[in-house]
Every structure is written in C-alpha cells, then in structure tokens.
Amino acid sequence: MNRSEERLVRDAMVAISQRYGRDVLVMRNEANALTLFKERASSLLRAALRSSGLHHAAIEALGTAYHQLSPAIKYGLGVGSADVIVCAWGRFLALEFKAEKGRQSEEQKSYEGAVEMAGGRYYIVRSIEDAIAAVEACRA
C-alpha cells in the first residue's frame, strides 16, 4: 500500500468513527503483520547467535532457516483481504482502499467474491466520501 492509500485509510477510519460513533465498529486489517514479525524475529535470532561466538556462515544459515521454517502465525485476514472491516447495523462491510487508478489483485477479487457470497458487502474506496457512502448504504 502506498503512502496516499495509507493516509486515506487513516483519514477515512477517523471520519467514519466520528460520524457514526458507537453505532459502527471500524477495524484496520493488518494482513502483512506476519511478514514483519518474522523479519524482526529472524534478525533478533541472528543478533543472539552473533553474541554466542558462532561462525558467521552458521549464524546466517540458522537465521535463514528460522525465517523460512518457523511455524506460520496467522495474523490478519490473509492475502487479498480488505484494508478495513466495518460492522454497521448488523452488516459486514469490507473496504478496499485504492489510489486514483489502483486496481484489485486477483486475490482481492477472490476475497470480494467470498464476502459477497456470505452476504457481506465489498466496496472499493477511493475517497473519504466513498467510505462514508459505503457505510451509509448499509443503513438501508
């Protein structure tokens, strides 16, 4: 996600929360947190091994093995899932934020289909106004 999309997500979440208060639950989906966690854990392991006096090649091999083989910790809703999840008036909304010309990936299209098949609503959002309109559409 580029900076303009990230800013749009933050601003839209604030706008939705301010407008609807406790009537609406707005959640940021952190689908890539697992990757960041594994990268950090791998570098911490390498640092700990360096202090043990092991040879550099052994340290790198162990750090790489840990990163590749450590058990997957599920965090977020997975690849292709929407940026923001909203629960409003008993309805489930998935909001995918895109820059002006951004397009969905195949994984995002698949997630959209799954949400809609389960009775939820999926919106591609390009502005704060789009986000508010998506939430407002759930009132009806």
Side-chain angles (χ1 to χ4, degrees), residues 63-103:
T64 300
Y66 171 81
H67 180 70
Q68 292 175 347
L69 301 175
S70 63
I73 300 167
K74 297 295 181 192
Y75 193 100
L77 298 175
V79 176
S81 58
D83 298 314
V84 173
I85 303 302
V86 178
C87 293
W89 306 287
R91 293 181 176 88
F92 178 92
L93 287 86
L95 305 179
E96 179 61 38
F97 287 79
K98 293 291 181 192
E100 187 176 320
K101 295 183 181 182
R103 299 189 187 277

PDB file of all heavy atoms in Angstrom, residues 63-103:
ATOM      1  N   GLY A  63      19.642 -18.294  10.893  1.00  0.00           N
ATOM      2  CA  GLY A  63      18.663 -17.208  10.780  1.00  0.00           C
ATOM      3  C   GLY A  63      17.743 -17.393   9.593  1.00  0.00           C
ATOM      4  O   GLY A  63      16.526 -17.214   9.693  1.00  0.00           O
ATOM      5  N   THR A  64      18.313 -17.786   8.467  1.00  0.00           N
ATOM      6  CA  THR A  64      17.523 -18.017   7.261  1.00  0.00           C
ATOM      7  C   THR A  64      16.574 -19.208   7.446  1.00  0.00           C
ATOM      8  O   THR A  64      15.405 -19.149   7.080  1.00  0.00           O
ATOM      9  CB  THR A  64      18.439 -18.250   6.052  1.00  0.00           C
ATOM     10  OG1 THR A  64      19.243 -17.086   5.886  1.00  0.00           O
ATOM     11  CG2 THR A  64      17.645 -18.515   4.786  1.00  0.00           C
ATOM     12  N   ALA A  65      17.084 -20.276   8.053  1.00  0.00           N
ATOM     13  CA  ALA A  65      16.244 -21.457   8.301  1.00  0.00           C
ATOM     14  C   ALA A  65      15.081 -21.104   9.211  1.00  0.00           C
ATOM     15  O   ALA A  65      13.942 -21.508   8.971  1.00  0.00           O
ATOM     16  CB  ALA A  65      17.080 -22.569   8.916  1.00  0.00           C
ATOM     17  N   TYR A  66      15.352 -20.325  10.249  1.00  0.00           N
ATOM     18  CA  TYR A  66      14.273 -19.926  11.155  1.00  0.00           C
ATOM     19  C   TYR A  66      13.207 -19.158  10.389  1.00  0.00           C
ATOM     20  O   TYR A  66      12.011 -19.419  10.517  1.00  0.00           O
ATOM     21  CB  TYR A  66      14.808 -19.063  12.293  1.00  0.00           C
ATOM     22  CG  TYR A  66      13.687 -18.460  13.108  1.00  0.00           C
ATOM     23  CD1 TYR A  66      13.049 -19.210  14.084  1.00  0.00           C
ATOM     24  CD2 TYR A  66      13.229 -17.177  12.851  1.00  0.00           C
ATOM     25  CE1 TYR A  66      12.000 -18.683  14.805  1.00  0.00           C
ATOM     26  CE2 TYR A  66      12.168 -16.643  13.562  1.00  0.00           C
ATOM     27  CZ  TYR A  66      11.559 -17.395  14.540  1.00  0.00           C
ATOM     28  OH  TYR A  66      10.515 -16.870  15.241  1.00  0.00           O
ATOM     29  N   HIS A  67      13.651 -18.200   9.584  1.00  0.00           N
ATOM     30  CA  HIS A  67      12.705 -17.362   8.844  1.00  0.00           C
ATOM     31  C   HIS A  67      11.845 -18.197   7.897  1.00  0.00           C
ATOM     32  O   HIS A  67      10.644 -17.988   7.781  1.00  0.00           O
ATOM     33  CB  HIS A  67      13.450 -16.283   8.065  1.00  0.00           C
ATOM     34  CG  HIS A  67      12.549 -15.390   7.282  1.00  0.00           C
ATOM     35  ND1 HIS A  67      11.719 -14.475   7.869  1.00  0.00           N
ATOM     36  CD2 HIS A  67      12.312 -15.306   5.957  1.00  0.00           C
ATOM     37  CE1 HIS A  67      11.020 -13.851   6.944  1.00  0.00           C
ATOM     38  NE2 HIS A  67      11.368 -14.337   5.774  1.00  0.00           N
ATOM     39  N   GLN A  68      12.446 -19.173   7.237  1.00  0.00           N
ATOM     40  CA  GLN A  68      11.719 -19.957   6.243  1.00  0.00           C
ATOM     41  C   GLN A  68      10.891 -21.081   6.849  1.00  0.00           C
ATOM     42  O   GLN A  68       9.852 -21.450   6.318  1.00  0.00           O
ATOM     43  CB  GLN A  68      12.694 -20.539   5.224  1.00  0.00           C
ATOM     44  CG  GLN A  68      13.323 -19.472   4.357  1.00  0.00           C
ATOM     45  CD  GLN A  68      14.378 -20.018   3.428  1.00  0.00           C
ATOM     46  OE1 GLN A  68      14.826 -21.147   3.566  1.00  0.00           O
ATOM     47  NE2 GLN A  68      14.784 -19.208   2.472  1.00  0.00           N
ATOM     48  N   LEU A  69      11.333 -21.625   7.970  1.00  0.00           N
ATOM     49  CA  LEU A  69      10.680 -22.816   8.509  1.00  0.00           C
ATOM     50  C   LEU A  69       9.849 -22.578   9.760  1.00  0.00           C
ATOM     51  O   LEU A  69       9.158 -23.476  10.207  1.00  0.00           O
ATOM     52  CB  LEU A  69      11.743 -23.885   8.819  1.00  0.00           C
ATOM     53  CG  LEU A  69      12.585 -24.325   7.622  1.00  0.00           C
ATOM     54  CD1 LEU A  69      13.675 -25.282   8.071  1.00  0.00           C
ATOM     55  CD2 LEU A  69      11.710 -24.965   6.562  1.00  0.00           C
ATOM     56  N   SER A  70       9.926 -21.379  10.334  1.00  0.00           N
ATOM     57  CA  SER A  70       9.157 -21.139  11.556  1.00  0.00           C
ATOM     58  C   SER A  70       7.677 -21.321  11.269  1.00  0.00           C
ATOM     59  O   SER A  70       7.208 -21.034  10.174  1.00  0.00           O
ATOM     60  CB  SER A  70       9.433 -19.739  12.096  1.00  0.00           C
ATOM     61  OG  SER A  70       9.022 -18.769  11.179  1.00  0.00           O
ATOM     62  N   PRO A  71       6.942 -21.826  12.260  1.00  0.00           N
ATOM     63  CA  PRO A  71       5.512 -22.071  12.028  1.00  0.00           C
ATOM     64  C   PRO A  71       4.781 -20.773  11.699  1.00  0.00           C
ATOM     65  O   PRO A  71       5.073 -19.721  12.255  1.00  0.00           O
ATOM     66  CB  PRO A  71       5.023 -22.655  13.352  1.00  0.00           C
ATOM     67  CG  PRO A  71       6.105 -22.432  14.340  1.00  0.00           C
ATOM     68  CD  PRO A  71       7.368 -22.134  13.597  1.00  0.00           C
ATOM     69  N   ALA A  72       3.867 -20.868  10.772  1.00  0.00           N
ATOM     70  CA  ALA A  72       3.094 -19.688  10.373  1.00  0.00           C
ATOM     71  C   ALA A  72       2.160 -19.280  11.497  1.00  0.00           C
ATOM     72  O   ALA A  72       1.425 -20.086  12.025  1.00  0.00           O
ATOM     73  CB  ALA A  72       2.306 -19.988   9.106  1.00  0.00           C
ATOM     74  N   ILE A  73       2.218 -18.033  11.846  1.00  0.00           N
ATOM     75  CA  ILE A  73       1.317 -17.466  12.834  1.00  0.00           C
ATOM     76  C   ILE A  73       0.297 -16.662  12.049  1.00  0.00           C
ATOM     77  O   ILE A  73       0.653 -15.719  11.356  1.00  0.00           O
ATOM     78  CB  ILE A  73       2.078 -16.557  13.815  1.00  0.00           C
ATOM     79  CG1 ILE A  73       3.154 -17.351  14.536  1.00  0.00           C
ATOM     80  CG2 ILE A  73       1.119 -15.898  14.803  1.00  0.00           C
ATOM     81  CD1 ILE A  73       4.150 -16.481  15.285  1.00  0.00           C
ATOM     82  N   LYS A  74      -0.948 -17.038  12.133  1.00  0.00           N
ATOM     83  CA  LYS A  74      -1.975 -16.338  11.371  1.00  0.00           C
ATOM     84  C   LYS A  74      -2.271 -14.997  12.029  1.00  0.00           C
ATOM     85  O   LYS A  74      -2.519 -14.913  13.214  1.00  0.00           O
ATOM     86  CB  LYS A  74      -3.262 -17.167  11.302  1.00  0.00           C
ATOM     87  CG  LYS A  74      -3.077 -18.480  10.586  1.00  0.00           C
ATOM     88  CD  LYS A  74      -2.739 -18.274   9.137  1.00  0.00           C
ATOM     89  CE  LYS A  74      -2.587 -19.596   8.430  1.00  0.00           C
ATOM     90  NZ  LYS A  74      -2.004 -19.478   7.137  1.00  0.00           N
ATOM     91  N   TYR A  75      -2.233 -13.947  11.258  1.00  0.00           N
ATOM     92  CA  TYR A  75      -2.492 -12.599  11.756  1.00  0.00           C
ATOM     93  C   TYR A  75      -3.135 -11.831  10.621  1.00  0.00           C
ATOM     94  O   TYR A  75      -2.646 -11.845   9.514  1.00  0.00           O
ATOM     95  CB  TYR A  75      -1.175 -11.942  12.172  1.00  0.00           C
ATOM     96  CG  TYR A  75      -1.344 -10.698  12.974  1.00  0.00           C
ATOM     97  CD1 TYR A  75      -1.206 -10.721  14.342  1.00  0.00           C
ATOM     98  CD2 TYR A  75      -1.641  -9.489  12.370  1.00  0.00           C
ATOM     99  CE1 TYR A  75      -1.351  -9.572  15.084  1.00  0.00           C
ATOM    100  CE2 TYR A  75      -1.790  -8.339  13.101  1.00  0.00           C
ATOM    101  CZ  TYR A  75      -1.641  -8.379  14.457  1.00  0.00           C
ATOM    102  OH  TYR A  75      -1.794  -7.233  15.190  1.00  0.00           O
ATOM    103  N   GLY A  76      -4.206 -11.185  10.892  1.00  0.00           N
ATOM    104  CA  GLY A  76      -4.930 -10.526   9.826  1.00  0.00           C
ATOM    105  C   GLY A  76      -5.819 -11.534   9.127  1.00  0.00           C
ATOM    106  O   GLY A  76      -5.929 -12.682   9.538  1.00  0.00           O
ATOM    107  N   LEU A  77      -6.458 -11.120   8.080  1.00  0.00           N
ATOM    108  CA  LEU A  77      -7.426 -11.967   7.389  1.00  0.00           C
ATOM    109  C   LEU A  77      -6.840 -12.672   6.177  1.00  0.00           C
ATOM    110  O   LEU A  77      -7.542 -13.388   5.495  1.00  0.00           O
ATOM    111  CB  LEU A  77      -8.639 -11.127   6.977  1.00  0.00           C
ATOM    112  CG  LEU A  77      -9.401 -10.509   8.134  1.00  0.00           C
ATOM    113  CD1 LEU A  77     -10.521  -9.603   7.613  1.00  0.00           C
ATOM    114  CD2 LEU A  77      -9.965 -11.574   9.047  1.00  0.00           C
ATOM    115  N   GLY A  78      -5.581 -12.481   5.895  1.00  0.00           N
ATOM    116  CA  GLY A  78      -4.938 -13.202   4.815  1.00  0.00           C
ATOM    117  C   GLY A  78      -4.751 -12.382   3.548  1.00  0.00           C
ATOM    118  O   GLY A  78      -5.232 -11.260   3.420  1.00  0.00           O
ATOM    119  N   VAL A  79      -4.038 -12.971   2.629  1.00  0.00           N
ATOM    120  CA  VAL A  79      -3.707 -12.324   1.363  1.00  0.00           C
ATOM    121  C   VAL A  79      -4.986 -12.005   0.601  1.00  0.00           C
ATOM    122  O   VAL A  79      -5.873 -12.846   0.478  1.00  0.00           O
ATOM    123  CB  VAL A  79      -2.801 -13.235   0.517  1.00  0.00           C
ATOM    124  CG1 VAL A  79      -2.541 -12.617  -0.844  1.00  0.00           C
ATOM    125  CG2 VAL A  79      -1.497 -13.508   1.252  1.00  0.00           C
ATOM    126  N   GLY A  80      -5.086 -10.773   0.125  1.00  0.00           N
ATOM    127  CA  GLY A  80      -6.237 -10.356  -0.657  1.00  0.00           C
ATOM    128  C   GLY A  80      -7.372  -9.765   0.155  1.00  0.00           C
ATOM    129  O   GLY A  80      -8.318  -9.220  -0.405  1.00  0.00           O
ATOM    130  N   SER A  81      -7.290  -9.887   1.476  1.00  0.00           N
ATOM    131  CA  SER A  81      -8.380  -9.362   2.305  1.00  0.00           C
ATOM    132  C   SER A  81      -8.400  -7.837   2.285  1.00  0.00           C
ATOM    133  O   SER A  81      -7.407  -7.194   1.985  1.00  0.00           O
ATOM    134  CB  SER A  81      -8.256  -9.882   3.738  1.00  0.00           C
ATOM    135  OG  SER A  81      -7.020  -9.525   4.304  1.00  0.00           O
ATOM    136  N   ALA A  82      -9.559  -7.281   2.611  1.00  0.00           N
ATOM    137  CA  ALA A  82      -9.765  -5.832   2.533  1.00  0.00           C
ATOM    138  C   ALA A  82      -8.955  -5.088   3.594  1.00  0.00           C
ATOM    139  O   ALA A  82      -8.614  -5.640   4.632  1.00  0.00           O
ATOM    140  CB  ALA A  82     -11.247  -5.518   2.694  1.00  0.00           C
ATOM    141  N   ASP A  83      -8.684  -3.820   3.329  1.00  0.00           N
ATOM    142  CA  ASP A  83      -7.896  -2.984   4.239  1.00  0.00           C
ATOM    143  C   ASP A  83      -8.626  -2.678   5.536  1.00  0.00           C
ATOM    144  O   ASP A  83      -8.021  -2.621   6.600  1.00  0.00           O
ATOM    145  CB  ASP A  83      -7.534  -1.658   3.557  1.00  0.00           C
ATOM    146  CG  ASP A  83      -6.673  -1.867   2.326  1.00  0.00           C
ATOM    147  OD1 ASP A  83      -5.714  -2.646   2.403  1.00  0.00           O
ATOM    148  OD2 ASP A  83      -6.982  -1.255   1.290  1.00  0.00           O
ATOM    149  N   VAL A  84      -9.931  -2.458   5.440  1.00  0.00           N
ATOM    150  CA  VAL A  84     -10.728  -2.082   6.606  1.00  0.00           C
ATOM    151  C   VAL A  84     -11.997  -2.928   6.626  1.00  0.00           C
ATOM    152  O   VAL A  84     -12.634  -3.129   5.596  1.00  0.00           O
ATOM    153  CB  VAL A  84     -11.084  -0.577   6.577  1.00  0.00           C
ATOM    154  CG1 VAL A  84     -12.057  -0.205   7.690  1.00  0.00           C
ATOM    155  CG2 VAL A  84      -9.819   0.268   6.675  1.00  0.00           C
ATOM    156  N   ILE A  85     -12.329  -3.397   7.819  1.00  0.00           N
ATOM    157  CA  ILE A  85     -13.561  -4.150   8.037  1.00  0.00           C
ATOM    158  C   ILE A  85     -14.475  -3.291   8.896  1.00  0.00           C
ATOM    159  O   ILE A  85     -14.038  -2.715   9.893  1.00  0.00           O
ATOM    160  CB  ILE A  85     -13.271  -5.485   8.759  1.00  0.00           C
ATOM    161  CG1 ILE A  85     -12.268  -6.326   7.961  1.00  0.00           C
ATOM    162  CG2 ILE A  85     -14.561  -6.239   9.047  1.00  0.00           C
ATOM    163  CD1 ILE A  85     -12.680  -6.670   6.557  1.00  0.00           C
ATOM    164  N   VAL A  86     -15.737  -3.211   8.508  1.00  0.00           N
ATOM    165  CA  VAL A  86     -16.706  -2.408   9.245  1.00  0.00           C
ATOM    166  C   VAL A  86     -17.911  -3.288   9.573  1.00  0.00           C
ATOM    167  O   VAL A  86     -18.406  -4.019   8.704  1.00  0.00           O
ATOM    168  CB  VAL A  86     -17.178  -1.188   8.408  1.00  0.00           C
ATOM    169  CG1 VAL A  86     -18.216  -0.377   9.161  1.00  0.00           C
ATOM    170  CG2 VAL A  86     -15.992  -0.312   8.012  1.00  0.00           C
ATOM    171  N   CYS A  87     -18.354  -3.216  10.817  1.00  0.00           N
ATOM    172  CA  CYS A  87     -19.622  -3.838  11.213  1.00  0.00           C
ATOM    173  C   CYS A  87     -20.568  -2.698  11.551  1.00  0.00           C
ATOM    174  O   CYS A  87     -20.272  -1.887  12.440  1.00  0.00           O
ATOM    175  CB  CYS A  87     -19.432  -4.746  12.415  1.00  0.00           C
ATOM    176  SG  CYS A  87     -18.438  -6.193  12.032  1.00  0.00           S
ATOM    177  N   ALA A  88     -21.662  -2.606  10.820  1.00  0.00           N
ATOM    178  CA  ALA A  88     -22.593  -1.498  10.993  1.00  0.00           C
ATOM    179  C   ALA A  88     -24.018  -2.005  10.875  1.00  0.00           C
ATOM    180  O   ALA A  88     -24.373  -2.607   9.863  1.00  0.00           O
ATOM    181  CB  ALA A  88     -22.326  -0.424   9.936  1.00  0.00           C
ATOM    182  N   TRP A  89     -24.813  -1.754  11.907  1.00  0.00           N
ATOM    183  CA  TRP A  89     -26.232  -2.117  11.903  1.00  0.00           C
ATOM    184  C   TRP A  89     -26.452  -3.564  11.480  1.00  0.00           C
ATOM    185  O   TRP A  89     -27.329  -3.869  10.674  1.00  0.00           O
ATOM    186  CB  TRP A  89     -27.018  -1.138  11.024  1.00  0.00           C
ATOM    187  CG  TRP A  89     -26.786   0.276  11.443  1.00  0.00           C
ATOM    188  CD1 TRP A  89     -27.280   0.888  12.568  1.00  0.00           C
ATOM    189  CD2 TRP A  89     -25.989   1.236  10.779  1.00  0.00           C
ATOM    190  NE1 TRP A  89     -26.812   2.164  12.643  1.00  0.00           N
ATOM    191  CE2 TRP A  89     -26.018   2.420  11.545  1.00  0.00           C
ATOM    192  CE3 TRP A  89     -25.235   1.228   9.605  1.00  0.00           C
ATOM    193  CZ2 TRP A  89     -25.338   3.571  11.184  1.00  0.00           C
ATOM    194  CZ3 TRP A  89     -24.556   2.369   9.252  1.00  0.00           C
ATOM    195  CH2 TRP A  89     -24.619   3.520  10.022  1.00  0.00           C
ATOM    196  N   GLY A  90     -25.644  -4.447  12.012  1.00  0.00           N
ATOM    197  CA  GLY A  90     -25.795  -5.868  11.733  1.00  0.00           C
ATOM    198  C   GLY A  90     -25.285  -6.317  10.381  1.00  0.00           C
ATOM    199  O   GLY A  90     -25.564  -7.430   9.943  1.00  0.00           O
ATOM    200  N   ARG A  91     -24.514  -5.467   9.734  1.00  0.00           N
ATOM    201  CA  ARG A  91     -23.989  -5.814   8.409  1.00  0.00           C
ATOM    202  C   ARG A  91     -22.460  -5.811   8.414  1.00  0.00           C
ATOM    203  O   ARG A  91     -21.838  -5.062   9.149  1.00  0.00           O
ATOM    204  CB  ARG A  91     -24.525  -4.842   7.370  1.00  0.00           C
ATOM    205  CG  ARG A  91     -26.026  -5.001   7.173  1.00  0.00           C
ATOM    206  CD  ARG A  91     -26.539  -4.051   6.129  1.00  0.00           C
ATOM    207  NE  ARG A  91     -27.942  -4.258   5.884  1.00  0.00           N
ATOM    208  CZ  ARG A  91     -28.904  -3.671   6.575  1.00  0.00           C
ATOM    209  NH1 ARG A  91     -28.618  -2.858   7.564  1.00  0.00           N
ATOM    210  NH2 ARG A  91     -30.162  -3.905   6.275  1.00  0.00           N
ATOM    211  N   PHE A  92     -21.889  -6.626   7.535  1.00  0.00           N
ATOM    212  CA  PHE A  92     -20.440  -6.745   7.386  1.00  0.00           C
ATOM    213  C   PHE A  92     -20.025  -6.033   6.108  1.00  0.00           C
ATOM    214  O   PHE A  92     -20.558  -6.316   5.040  1.00  0.00           O
ATOM    215  CB  PHE A  92     -20.057  -8.231   7.307  1.00  0.00           C
ATOM    216  CG  PHE A  92     -18.585  -8.470   7.094  1.00  0.00           C
ATOM    217  CD1 PHE A  92     -17.734  -8.644   8.175  1.00  0.00           C
ATOM    218  CD2 PHE A  92     -18.052  -8.534   5.811  1.00  0.00           C
ATOM    219  CE1 PHE A  92     -16.381  -8.877   7.973  1.00  0.00           C
ATOM    220  CE2 PHE A  92     -16.705  -8.762   5.605  1.00  0.00           C
ATOM    221  CZ  PHE A  92     -15.866  -8.931   6.696  1.00  0.00           C
ATOM    222  N   LEU A  93     -19.073  -5.113   6.239  1.00  0.00           N
ATOM    223  CA  LEU A  93     -18.541  -4.396   5.079  1.00  0.00           C
ATOM    224  C   LEU A  93     -17.038  -4.613   5.000  1.00  0.00           C
ATOM    225  O   LEU A  93     -16.345  -4.545   6.010  1.00  0.00           O
ATOM    226  CB  LEU A  93     -18.745  -2.888   5.219  1.00  0.00           C
ATOM    227  CG  LEU A  93     -20.106  -2.306   5.049  1.00  0.00           C
ATOM    228  CD1 LEU A  93     -20.848  -2.356   6.346  1.00  0.00           C
ATOM    229  CD2 LEU A  93     -19.942  -0.890   4.593  1.00  0.00           C
ATOM    230  N   ALA A  94     -16.550  -4.808   3.807  1.00  0.00           N
ATOM    231  CA  ALA A  94     -15.116  -4.881   3.548  1.00  0.00           C
ATOM    232  C   ALA A  94     -14.775  -3.702   2.647  1.00  0.00           C
ATOM    233  O   ALA A  94     -15.360  -3.555   1.570  1.00  0.00           O
ATOM    234  CB  ALA A  94     -14.766  -6.204   2.873  1.00  0.00           C
ATOM    235  N   LEU A  95     -13.874  -2.849   3.118  1.00  0.00           N
ATOM    236  CA  LEU A  95     -13.481  -1.668   2.348  1.00  0.00           C
ATOM    237  C   LEU A  95     -12.049  -1.840   1.847  1.00  0.00           C
ATOM    238  O   LEU A  95     -11.121  -1.943   2.642  1.00  0.00           O
ATOM    239  CB  LEU A  95     -13.588  -0.401   3.206  1.00  0.00           C
ATOM    240  CG  LEU A  95     -14.942  -0.123   3.863  1.00  0.00           C
ATOM    241  CD1 LEU A  95     -14.860   1.165   4.692  1.00  0.00           C
ATOM    242  CD2 LEU A  95     -16.042  -0.031   2.835  1.00  0.00           C
ATOM    243  N   GLU A  96     -11.881  -1.851   0.546  1.00  0.00           N
ATOM    244  CA  GLU A  96     -10.565  -1.940  -0.079  1.00  0.00           C
ATOM    245  C   GLU A  96     -10.205  -0.556  -0.597  1.00  0.00           C
ATOM    246  O   GLU A  96     -10.870  -0.026  -1.481  1.00  0.00           O
ATOM    247  CB  GLU A  96     -10.565  -2.957  -1.223  1.00  0.00           C
ATOM    248  CG  GLU A  96      -9.242  -3.080  -1.944  1.00  0.00           C
ATOM    249  CD  GLU A  96      -8.110  -3.533  -1.038  1.00  0.00           C
ATOM    250  OE1 GLU A  96      -8.332  -4.387  -0.148  1.00  0.00           O
ATOM    251  OE2 GLU A  96      -6.989  -3.020  -1.238  1.00  0.00           O
ATOM    252  N   PHE A  97      -9.161   0.030  -0.039  1.00  0.00           N
ATOM    253  CA  PHE A  97      -8.759   1.386  -0.408  1.00  0.00           C
ATOM    254  C   PHE A  97      -7.777   1.334  -1.563  1.00  0.00           C
ATOM    255  O   PHE A  97      -6.821   0.575  -1.545  1.00  0.00           O
ATOM    256  CB  PHE A  97      -8.139   2.090   0.801  1.00  0.00           C
ATOM    257  CG  PHE A  97      -9.158   2.466   1.831  1.00  0.00           C
ATOM    258  CD1 PHE A  97      -9.659   1.520   2.717  1.00  0.00           C
ATOM    259  CD2 PHE A  97      -9.640   3.756   1.912  1.00  0.00           C
ATOM    260  CE1 PHE A  97     -10.610   1.857   3.657  1.00  0.00           C
ATOM    261  CE2 PHE A  97     -10.600   4.100   2.843  1.00  0.00           C
ATOM    262  CZ  PHE A  97     -11.090   3.149   3.720  1.00  0.00           C
ATOM    263  N   LYS A  98      -8.037   2.161  -2.556  1.00  0.00           N
ATOM    264  CA  LYS A  98      -7.182   2.237  -3.741  1.00  0.00           C
ATOM    265  C   LYS A  98      -6.906   3.691  -4.085  1.00  0.00           C
ATOM    266  O   LYS A  98      -7.766   4.551  -3.925  1.00  0.00           O
ATOM    267  CB  LYS A  98      -7.852   1.573  -4.951  1.00  0.00           C
ATOM    268  CG  LYS A  98      -8.025   0.078  -4.830  1.00  0.00           C
ATOM    269  CD  LYS A  98      -6.689  -0.604  -4.893  1.00  0.00           C
ATOM    270  CE  LYS A  98      -6.826  -2.105  -4.794  1.00  0.00           C
ATOM    271  NZ  LYS A  98      -5.529  -2.735  -4.575  1.00  0.00           N
ATOM    272  N   ALA A  99      -5.705   3.939  -4.579  1.00  0.00           N
ATOM    273  CA  ALA A  99      -5.372   5.259  -5.111  1.00  0.00           C
ATOM    274  C   ALA A  99      -6.223   5.480  -6.363  1.00  0.00           C
ATOM    275  O   ALA A  99      -6.919   4.577  -6.829  1.00  0.00           O
ATOM    276  CB  ALA A  99      -3.879   5.340  -5.438  1.00  0.00           C
ATOM    277  N   GLU A 100      -6.126   6.648  -6.921  1.00  0.00           N
ATOM    278  CA  GLU A 100      -6.991   7.041  -8.038  1.00  0.00           C
ATOM    279  C   GLU A 100      -7.113   5.980  -9.130  1.00  0.00           C
ATOM    280  O   GLU A 100      -8.194   5.689  -9.602  1.00  0.00           O
ATOM    281  CB  GLU A 100      -6.471   8.347  -8.634  1.00  0.00           C
ATOM    282  CG  GLU A 100      -7.391   8.929  -9.688  1.00  0.00           C
ATOM    283  CD  GLU A 100      -6.886  10.267 -10.179  1.00  0.00           C
ATOM    284  OE1 GLU A 100      -6.407  11.058  -9.350  1.00  0.00           O
ATOM    285  OE2 GLU A 100      -6.966  10.497 -11.389  1.00  0.00           O
ATOM    286  N   LYS A 101      -5.987   5.391  -9.531  1.00  0.00           N
ATOM    287  CA  LYS A 101      -6.029   4.428 -10.630  1.00  0.00           C
ATOM    288  C   LYS A 101      -5.664   3.007 -10.181  1.00  0.00           C
ATOM    289  O   LYS A 101      -5.419   2.148 -11.015  1.00  0.00           O
ATOM    290  CB  LYS A 101      -5.105   4.871 -11.745  1.00  0.00           C
ATOM    291  CG  LYS A 101      -5.568   6.168 -12.394  1.00  0.00           C
ATOM    292  CD  LYS A 101      -4.697   6.554 -13.544  1.00  0.00           C
ATOM    293  CE  LYS A 101      -5.204   7.861 -14.136  1.00  0.00           C
ATOM    294  NZ  LYS A 101      -4.447   8.283 -15.282  1.00  0.00           N
ATOM    295  N   GLY A 102      -5.625   2.776  -8.877  1.00  0.00           N
ATOM    296  CA  GLY A 102      -5.255   1.453  -8.377  1.00  0.00           C
ATOM    297  C   GLY A 102      -6.264   0.384  -8.774  1.00  0.00           C
ATOM    298  O   GLY A 102      -7.450   0.656  -8.927  1.00  0.00           O
ATOM    299  N   ARG A 103      -5.769  -0.819  -8.983  1.00  0.00           N
ATOM    300  CA  ARG A 103      -6.619  -1.942  -9.393  1.00  0.00           C
ATOM    301  C   ARG A 103      -6.508  -3.077  -8.380  1.00  0.00           C
ATOM    302  O   ARG A 103      -5.501  -3.232  -7.725  1.00  0.00           O
ATOM    303  CB  ARG A 103      -6.196  -2.454 -10.764  1.00  0.00           C
ATOM    304  CG  ARG A 103      -6.316  -1.421 -11.862  1.00  0.00           C
ATOM    305  CD  ARG A 103      -6.085  -2.081 -13.216  1.00  0.00           C
ATOM    306  NE  ARG A 103      -6.032  -1.119 -14.278  1.00  0.00           N
ATOM    307  CZ  ARG A 103      -7.097  -0.611 -14.881  1.00  0.00           C
ATOM    308  NH1 ARG A 103      -8.286  -0.968 -14.496  1.00  0.00           N
ATOM    309  NH2 ARG A 103      -6.964   0.253 -15.858  1.00  0.00           N
TER     310      ARG A 103
END
